[in-house]
Amino acid sequence: MYFYDIIEKKRNKQHLSKEEIDFAVHAFVEGSVSKEQMSSLLMAIVLNGMTYEETLNLTLAMKNSSETLEFKEYLVDKHSTGGVSDSTTLILTPTLAALGVKVAKMSGRSLGFTGGTIDKLEVFEGYNANKTLEEFTGIINKINCSIISQTANLAYADKLIYDLRNKTATVDSIPLIASSIMSKKLASGAKFLVLNVHYGSGAFMQRKKDAIKLARVMVKIGNDSGVLTRACVSNMNVPLASGVGCTNEVISVVHAINGEQSNLLKLSKELCVIILCEVKKISSSVALKLVNETLHSGKTLAKLKELISEHGGKTEILDNINSVAKAKYKVNLTSKEQGYVKNIDARTVAKAVNHLKELNKDESTKKLVGVNLNVKVNTKVKPDDVLLEIFVNDKKHAEKVTDELYHAFRFSRFKTKEKKLIAKII
Ligand code: URA
C-alpha cells in the first residue's frame, strides 16, 4: 500500500477502506510519512469529506494509536466542543458526584479563543491536574469525581494530526473534528458520555445545522463503539455567563452554584439531567428536582471543595468569593447609546480577553485578566452606564481593547426576541 495512492483516492472523491485508513494513521505515527503528505490527505478530507464508515474507522485508528484506558466502574464523562465562559464542567461534575454518579474527567487547556477547564481549576492555588492514573481512580473512588489534564498518551495520533491541522487550515471539517474528539473520548474508558456541541460566533461551528450534524456523527460513533453517548446542541452566540477569563469565570461558577441565574447554570443543569436520566433511569422532571436540591442544599459547593482539596488546591475562595486574587485595576467600559442591548458577540469578547492575556507578559498574573459583563441581552442602557468591567494589571492594556470590546455590543430601540439556549438533544 502506498500513501500517495491514498491521497490520490481521496482527492478523487473515492472512499477509503478501513485498511487504507489504518495504514495512513499508523504510518504517520510511526514517522514513515512526511507532514506534507499527511497535510495533503487532511486537505483532501476537508474538501471532499468522509462517509460515516470512514469517519468511524479514522476515529478507531486514532484511538488505537496509543494506550487506551479501561475502568471496572461505570464512569461518566462530558465533553464540550469549546465556548466562551463555558464552565459547565465545574458545576456538573460536583453536582453529579454529590448524587452518587462517578465522573472521570480529562480536560484540556484553553484552545484558540475558548477557555480551558484546567486553566480555570488552577485559579485555586495549588490545584494539581497532573495526577497519575492510579491517583485519578483513587480520587474517583473516594469522592466520586476527579478532573485531570488530558494525557498526551491517549489517542497519540490525534495529538500529531491536530498540531498539523492547526497549521494547515484543516481544523473545521466535521469528520476531522468528530474523529479527533471521539478518539480521545473512546480511549479514556468512560461508559457514558455526554457531548455539549456549541454553535454560534463563540463556537468552532458557526451554523446550527453543522453543529447538529457534528453531534449526530459523534453520538453514532460513541454508541457504535459501546459507549452510551448523548449530545446537547446549544447556542454560543453570547457568553454563557458574565465572567470571561479564568478568574472571572471561576467567580461566575461560584455565583451560579449559589443560585445566580445564568445560561451557564441552565446549561449545566440540562447536561446533569441528560446524564441522570440515562444513568439512574429516571424521568427528566425527577432528575431536575434532584439537581436543584443538590445545588440549593449546598451539596454541590461542598463536593466542589472536596474535589479541589483532593487535588491539593486551596478552597477559601469558595467560602468567600471576594477573597479571590484580582488584577490590579478595574476599568469600566461604558455605553454611548440609549436603548436595549441587542447582542454581545461571544467571539469578539473572547478574542479581546485573549489579547489582554497576550499583553500581560507575566505568566503568573495572566489568569487575573479578563472581563465581567454588567449587562445582558435586553438590559436597558443609557449613555455612561457600565457595560462591562475590564480587569488588567496595566491600565494601558485596557485602553488597547476598549474599541474592540465595544464592537461586541449591538443596541436596539426595542427589546429583542431571545434565542433559545438549547437547540437540540440527541
Ligand atoms: N477539539 C478537539 O479535540 N478536536 C477538534 O478537532 C476540535 C476541537
Side-chain angles (χ1 to χ4, degrees):
M1 211 178 278
Y2 297 98
F3 203 92
Y4 184 97
D5 298 341
I6 296 175
I7 302 173
E8 194 173 51
K9 233 177 140 180
K10 195 32 72 189
R11 191 202 65 193
N12 293 341
K13 303 192 175 139
Q14 289 172 316
H15 296 170
L16 301 180
S17 67
K18 178 167 171 43
E19 290 68 34
E20 286 164 333
I21 290 173
D22 284 346
F23 172 83
V25 170
H26 188 252
F28 186 56
V29 170
E30 228 192 2
S32 58
V33 160
S34 67
K35 287 186 177 172
E36 290 85 344
Q37 284 182 301
M38 193 56 171
S39 303
S40 300
L41 179 60
L42 292 170
M43 190 56 88
I45 294 172
V46 170
L47 297 176
N48 295 331
M50 275 186 144
T51 62
Y52 170 72
E53 272 66 35
E54 289 177 296
T55 310
L56 175 64
N57 288 331
L58 180 59
T59 308
L60 297 178
M62 295 207 291
K63 172 202 152 196
N64 294 326
S65 64
S66 52
E67 72 170 309
T68 55
L69 305 181
E70 287 257 357
F71 295 102
K72 279 186 230 93
E73 270 113 334
Y74 191 95
L75 295 182
V76 166
D77 193 2
K78 170 245 163 195
H79 181 83
S80 157
T81 53
V84 182
S85 200
D86 177 4
S87 312
T88 57
T89 295
L90 298 185
I91 300 174
L92 165 149
T93 305
T95 303
L96 291 173
L99 284 163
V101 177
K102 289 191 188 303
V103 187
K105 184 87 188 77
M106 287 190 192
S107 290
R109 293 200 177 269
S110 307
L111 178 69
F113 60 85
T114 63
T117 302
I118 298 299
D119 296 316
K120 291 176 222 176
L121 280 167
E122 287 173 356
V123 167
F124 298 91
E125 203 188 320
Y127 191 95
N128 178 5
N130 296 317
K131 296 279 182 191
T132 63
L133 288 175
E134 288 70 34
E135 288 167 331
F136 182 49
T137 40
I139 295 173
I140 297 167
N141 285 333
K142 188 170 169 198
I143 64 161
N144 283 349
C145 61
S146 175
I147 306 176
I148 60 169
S149 267
Q150 177 84 47
T151 84
N153 294 340
L154 294 185
Y156 183 60
D158 174 63
K159 189 178 152 31
L160 299 181
I161 293 172
Y162 197 85
D163 285 347
L164 210 52
R165 287 170 60 210
N166 248 338
K167 292 182 193 126
T168 55
T170 49
V171 172
D172 33 357
S173 142
I174 289 180
L176 294 181
I177 296 176
S179 54
S180 163
I181 292 175
M182 292 308 289
S183 61
K184 288 178 286 224
K185 293 287 123 185
L186 296 182
S188 60
K191 303 274 190 298
F192 179 68
L193 171 65
V194 66
L195 300 160
N196 188 192
V197 181
H198 298 296
Y199 73 91
S201 88
F204 287 119
M205 289 283 134
Q206 303 280 299
R207 297 186 308 180
K208 183 159 68 174
K209 69 173 190 186
D210 292 333
I212 292 175
K213 209 165 152 191
L214 173 64
R216 288 210 165 107
V217 174
M218 292 198 290
V219 166
K220 188 158 166 50
I221 291 174
N223 289 326
D224 286 350
S225 310
V227 177
L228 189 55
T229 308
R230 304 281 312 270
C232 170
V233 180
S234 54
N235 185 325
M236 185 49 79
N237 281 302
V238 173
L240 277 186
S242 57
V244 184
C246 290
T247 299
N248 287 293
E249 288 182 44
V250 167
I251 295 173
S252 288
V253 164
V254 175
H255 287 322
I257 291 176
N258 289 331
E260 189 182 281
Q261 295 307 306
S262 62
N263 279 342
L264 169 66
L265 182 62
K266 211 166 152 186
L267 186 56
S268 305
K269 285 189 195 181
E270 185 68 41
L271 295 168
C272 285
V273 166
I274 295 172
I275 293 170
L276 288 171
C277 289
E278 290 293 344
V279 175
K280 292 191 182 278
K281 306 286 174 226
I282 52 177
S283 68
S284 50
S285 56
V286 173
L288 183 60
K289 199 160 167 264
L290 285 176
V291 170
N292 281 330
E293 274 166 15
T294 310
L295 280 156
H296 296 159
S297 62
K299 287 184 191 155
T300 297
L301 191 65
K303 188 56 82 176
L304 181 58
K305 265 190 211 167
E306 275 183 69
L307 171 68
I308 308 286
S309 298
E310 282 297 326
H311 286 263
K314 292 192 180 155
T315 61
E316 287 75 12
I317 57 177
L318 292 176
D319 294 318
N320 175 15
I321 195 60
N322 292 325
S323 68
V324 69
K326 296 236 176 68
K328 271 196 202 143
Y329 305 104
K330 185 177 84 177
V331 179
N332 289 337
L333 177 75
T334 54
S335 176
K336 296 172 200 152
E337 324 256 343
Q338 172 112 25
Y340 294 94
V341 176
K342 185 177 163 65
N343 190 32
I344 308 168
D345 185 71
R347 183 175 292 236
T348 310
V349 175
K351 283 176 107 174
V353 169
N354 261 7
H355 293 152
L356 286 176
K357 284 199 242 166
E358 273 165 34
L359 290 165
N360 195 97
K361 298 292 176 217
D362 175 5
E363 281 297 324
S364 68
T365 58
K366 259 194 208 304
K367 285 195 169 28
L368 309 180
V369 304
V371 303
N372 187 59
L373 295 162
N374 265 30
V375 295
K376 294 182 177 178
V377 169
N378 282 333
T379 302
K380 197 172 183 187
V381 291
K382 55 184 186 326
D384 296 331
D385 280 356
V386 179
L387 298 174
L388 61 74
E389 299 156 336
I390 311 172
F391 293 87
V392 282
N393 293 306
D394 179 336
K395 281 192 179 168
K396 284 199 249 54
H397 296 172
E399 281 164 29
K400 289 197 172 142
V401 297
T402 46
D403 281 353
E404 189 181 347
L405 277 169
Y406 199 77
H407 277 110
F409 292 88
R410 286 282 172 275
F411 302 90
S412 160
R413 282 168 54 213
F414 308 102
K415 278 199 167 181
T416 307
K417 188 169 180 289
E418 282 195 53
K419 305 229 169 57
K420 262 171 60 179
L421 174 65
I422 314 281
K424 206 163 193 69
I425 310 282
I426 296 165

